[in-house]
Amino acid sequence: DAGVTQSPTHLIKTRGQQVTLRCSPKSGHDTVSWYQQALGQGPQFIFQYYEEEERQRGNFPDRFSGHQFPNYSSELNVNALLLGDSALYLCASSFPPLNAEAFFGQGTRLTVV
Amino acid sequence: EDKVVQSPLSLVVHEGDTVTLNCSYEVTNFRSLLWYKQEKKAPTFLFMLTSSGIEKKSGRLSSILDKKELFSILNITATQTGDSAVYLCAADQFYFGTGTSLTVIP
């Protein structure tokens, strides 16, 4: 059983560019959450998708957007990249959507130069 | 503002020691407290606590939640070098603490 898979593992982008990160949830999971983890910090919740809709959102600007597909996989898009967006981006899946343990992927390390 | 605070920020112990990690929270509509272990990238799930006063155990690890005082503790007994990691607590998957970095030296 494949766990949560994320792609790519590493990415280098230039300020102002746009980036798309991808996540496939653990088999049987229908909820995907995205987090940003800066060095030395805990994960910061970006948003959660369930049934192809954004169910809950953290305190992140509109430059951060997402999508969930019918097969429950998800994308995180970040527009107009800033240097401060450099971080590890973690995806987690769970079932049911609330009050449940989340299984994390290995993350995508984004570096903005 | 919803927040989760962990203490200590870091801890260095010798193999065989017992450690207690703390997590306090102030979260609206709180439902559950989760503990994760992060060694390199992906946090791995340890415990989920929803009821106050009921201890959860897994081998040398145990955890308990106090919903009246709004905190949880994670205990690790007879620590091993493989316990070295960052331990994260989270309220409802949405609010994570900064983590406690545990280093176990032989």
Side-chain angles (χ1 to χ4, degrees):
Chain A
D1 173 31
V4 179
T5 58
Q6 292 187 242
S7 64
T9 54
H10 295 85
L11 202 51
I12 300 175
K13 288 286 190 177
T14 304
R15 264 184 309 176
Q17 284 189 315
Q18 179 262 346
V19 68
T20 297
L21 310 182
R22 295 176 176 83
C23 173
S24 292
K26 182 179 170 63
S27 178
H29 285 183
D30 59 3
T31 301
V32 173
S33 303
W34 287 92
Y35 302 84
Q36 179 194 68
Q37 187 175 24
L39 206 59
Q41 300 295 315
Q44 297 293 309
F45 174 69
I46 302 175
F47 40 56
Q48 183 181 77
Y49 275 85
Y50 172 65
E51 292 188 341
E52 301 180 53
E53 294 203 356
E54 185 181 288
R55 187 184 184 96
Q56 192 144 344
R57 188 179 182 95
N59 189 25
F60 276 80
D62 292 344
R63 299 188 297 109
F64 290 78
S65 63
H67 189 78
Q68 185 178 36
F69 300 93
N71 66 353
Y72 307 126
S73 67
S74 177
E75 289 181 348
L76 164 65
N77 300 293
V78 187
N79 294 321
L81 285 166
L82 304 174
L83 296 180
D85 295 331
S86 296
L88 179 67
Y89 287 84
L90 293 164
C91 167
S93 71
S94 57
F95 180 84
L98 295 176
N99 198 31
E101 66 188 85
F103 290 81
F104 283 84
Q106 291 296 316
T108 294
R109 173 71 66 186
L110 172 65
T111 302
V112 182
V113 298
Chain B
E1 182 187 347
D2 297 312
K3 63 179 179 180
V4 173
V5 178
Q6 292 187 245
S7 64
L9 291 181
S10 66
L11 200 52
V12 180
V13 300
H14 288 93
E15 266 193 322
D17 287 349
T18 294
V19 298
T20 298
L21 309 183
N22 304 293
C23 175
S24 63
Y25 63 92
E26 291 179 35
V27 172
T28 310
N29 299 321
F30 171 83
R31 286 176 291 270
S32 60
L33 193 290
L34 302 103
W35 284 96
Y36 291 88
K37 177 182 182 182
Q38 187 174 29
E39 292 179 84
K40 289 185 179 177
K41 286 188 176 180
T44 54
F45 172 79
L46 295 175
F47 297 110
M48 182 172 72
L49 304 151
T50 56
S51 300
S52 202
I54 299 176
E55 184 181 50
K56 290 213 170 180
K57 294 194 73 169
S58 177
R60 297 177 293 102
L61 278 67
S62 64
S63 183
I64 196 162
L65 174 67
D66 186 326
K67 293 174 81 171
K68 182 179 178 184
E69 300 298 329
L70 308 183
F71 78 90
S72 174
I73 60 172
L74 174 69
N75 283 314
I76 308 175
T77 60
T79 51
Q80 303 171 357
T81 55
D83 295 327
S84 296
V86 173
Y87 291 83
L88 297 163
C89 75
D92 298 332
Q93 290 185 44
F94 303 135
Y95 308 100
F96 277 79
T98 305
T100 293
S101 176
L102 173 65
T103 302
V104 181
I105 53 179

